[in-house]
Amino acid sequence: MGQSISDCNCSCDRGRHDADRRLDPEAVAFARARMQMEVQSLAQATHASGARDAPVVGVALNETALGTLRPESRSQTGVTTPNSPAIATGPAVSPAVPSRTPQSLKAPKKKRTLILQLSSSNDAEGRADADAHARAARVKLLHDEAVVNGRRVMVMASGGADASGGADLSRGFNPTSRPHWSYVSDLLVQAGIPEVSLRPGLPAQHMVHEALMCREHVEELGAAGVGVDDVVVVTSDFNAARARHLFGVVFSEEAGLGVPMKVVQVPSSFSPEEREKRLDEEAKEITAMRQVPKEPWLSFLKARGLETLNRSSRFME
């Protein structure tokens, strides 16, 4: 049975015992300040993690709530104060606060988008053509749109170096020993892409290389714990159909990935007559690629049993 006030043998007066039955104002102020500090810390952590739209969290303390936060304590007589929130009379004890942010307050994981600009051409001085400039401008718009929508963005360019080391000037897309993607990366930075968003490019010699190398890169990122949620391919209008087919096959569920992919086409710099000529050439190339595939496309299809999918027109519709 607890000791009554009249039985107390200590030197304190009755008023002190009455105070023990109430909340100590200093303890209340301490607990309130402590909780506000924890809330501010939580809000800062949530904001830093990307949840800028998270609601502002406030804390209101009353005597009942405070009693549930502080451990039960004893008065100077060693007796627990009955029927009231227990307040320690010794050194103040911090309220118990979870050490981790509640799951409901954590910012959702941001999705990651990979934007790939396909190769065009550059001259012997490394000057990229008009199509490369137009594609870079579109990549910048796509990058900014994805960032506004809360996505992480990686940007890559494509295009290798002249396999002959710059000696064969008849090679159309890059008669230099420096990779075409490096020239395009310079364009992307000039267009406003942050360098932190750029990744080393793909040393591809043609579009089949671009599709296969891009898939390999996405797989390597996934193995490293950096998942890619969707792929955006930027190219010119005259070869967009071929890009849709190739990238559609390599990122399809049948191919073992199932990564959403889309091709964004940019108007080419060709004259109407030249554009029509290029479209005719592309149509013939697509037909040959689907009906009589060559290496390295053929080996990729056979290894995964994708010959039937390659013959279909699913991704060109």
Side-chain angles (χ1 to χ4, degrees), residues 114-174:
L114 172 62
I115 303 177
L116 174 65
Q117 177 171 334
L118 298 190
S119 63
S120 49
S121 66
N122 58 263
D123 62 19
E125 302 298 324
R127 292 184 292 263
D129 63 21
D131 285 344
H133 285 264
R135 296 176 192 180
R138 180 61 62 86
V139 168
K140 176 61 166 61
L141 294 176
L142 293 168
H143 170 276
D144 293 350
E145 180 182 0
V147 170
V148 168
N149 290 331
R151 304 180 77 88
R152 293 186 174 94
V153 186
M154 298 183 297
V155 177
M156 297 178 65
S158 180
D162 181 359
S164 67
D168 184 3
L169 298 181
S170 66
R171 294 179 64 85
F173 88 98
N174 179 18

Side-chain angles (χ1 to χ4, degrees), residues 282-303:
E282 284 288 322
K284 294 176 182 178
E285 190 163 350
I286 291 172
T287 298
M289 180 179 61
R290 291 167 55 199
Q291 296 180 355
V292 189
K294 298 179 181 179
E295 297 295 346
W297 188 237
L298 179 60
S299 293
F300 173 81
L301 297 173
K302 286 185 174 182

Side-chain angles (χ1 to χ4, degrees), residues 177-195:
S177 58
R178 179 181 169 185
H180 174 73
W181 66 259
S182 65
Y183 299 123
V184 177
S185 293
D186 292 342
L187 284 182
L188 290 168
V189 172
Q190 294 171 17
I193 297 294
E195 291 191 29

Side-chain angles (χ1 to χ4, degrees), residues 260-280:
M261 185 282 309
K262 71 175 181 179
V263 173
V264 175
Q265 62 184 46
V266 179
S268 68
S269 60
F270 297 132
S271 65
E273 295 77 14
E274 180 65 21
R275 181 176 178 276
E276 288 300 319
K277 178 181 177 181
R278 292 296 185 103
L279 288 174
D280 289 340

